Amino acid sequence: MSVDAVYHRGPLFKEVFGECWENLRWLFQTENAVLTLAGSGTAGLEAACASFIQPQEKAIVIRGGKFGERWFKICQSLGIRAIPLDVPWGQAAQPAQLDALLQLHPDTRAVLWQASETSTGVVHPTQELVQVVRARGDILTLVDGITAVGVYDLPQDALDIDVLVCGSQKALMLPPGLAFVSASERAWRAGERGGCPRYYFSLQREREQQTAKLQQTAFTPAISLIFGLRESLRMLREEGLAPLFARHDQLARAARAGGQAMGLSLFAQKPSHATTALSLPANVDGNALGKRLREGYGVTLGGGQDQLKGKIVRIGHVGYFGPFDIITAISALEMGLCDLGYSVTLGQGVGAAQAVLRS
Ligand SMILES: Cc1ncc(COP(=O)(O)O)c(C=O)c1O
């Protein structure tokens, strides 16, 4: 990423971008074009809505956490009639509930959800949700895969996901700043009706520019990040999809085992492979714990947001993580909890995590 920012209409950039283009399709497990945008993951979410859904159309949004709320707000801001399917935070969406809501709103044009809702550490059942949608006709499925693509097996084409969105700073192990969107023929057809008013985030324009023939972005790309992307995709290909998913699975199981062994319970009903959310005891202030870990031990864990502020702690294990990152996190958590007066036997959580990581 520290190479010169080369001319983005020249041959070297085309070569780098072309390699990324192919490898992104491998990562998304799709024959579709995977478009790269300069912007954080949210840019990809907004571009997807604006490019494939019309203002005033109905879109059902599964809202079970901070990022479900975000997609709901994006729809509202674009004039799309967003219908919430509220799921209690910590729980996974139920396909039967989606089916009932679709029956109530037969004119729904799209259904949107997170494959992994990072704020609660929950995995929604994407495969079952897509099946419910498909059974109800020509409705688009838009899936936020920001902490799912490259984390667990989510083959876009095999699952028949219309639009899949990802960002650079999670499984791709890069700094933030790139969003990736891949869309099916069904989505492109829906987009022919015009979509919402937009300029920069027109996926149609990007598609024209980024096809295998041109290998260019419509506007100046985030050149350094794309050089980084080439390398991170090479690293992922070297690792292979099955080992990549197995690594995330094992790290997640170790984090869960460690947390549970120190007496904490899992917040998520169906826990994600990207992050482990642990409920804190009522007498432990999560904000004080976060500060203690950061300032006392140099370890940063995620906290809860909004209604979960101070109530959960989240251990990240998406992307550039290995066994000792989990051991470190669990060990620091034990020490921090002890410091705040919570009774925990030091080493118990670490031992449980080690047992998973050895196997
Ligand atoms: C599931 C999910 N969706 C959306 C976002 C927002 O992405 P960004 O912060 O890159 O805009 C995040 C960020 O963590 C996320 O985890």
Side-chain angles (χ1 to χ4, degrees), residues 40-43 45 67 70 114 116-119 144-147 167 169-170 176:
S40 75
T42 305
L45 303 180
F67 297 111
R70 178 159 315 169
Q114 274 61 43
S116 158
E117 172 50 83
T118 326
S119 66
D144 169 351
I146 289 174
T147 52
Q169 77 273 31
K170 300 291 193 309

Side-chain angles (χ1 to χ4, degrees), residues 92-144:
Q94 290 183 23
Q97 283 183 348
L98 173 61
D99 198 41
L101 199 58
L102 280 166
Q103 198 168 356
L104 213 59
H105 298 280
D107 51 344
T108 297
R109 295 307 296 255
V111 182
L112 288 65
W113 68 89
Q114 274 61 43
S116 158
E117 172 50 83
T118 326
S119 66
T120 59
V122 165
V123 166
H124 289 310
T126 289
Q127 185 168 4
E128 290 82 356
L129 293 169
V130 172
Q131 282 164 359
V132 162
V133 175
R134 283 291 158 264
R136 297 240 164 232
D138 199 23
I139 300 170
L140 296 183
T141 52
L142 277 68
V143 176
D144 169 351

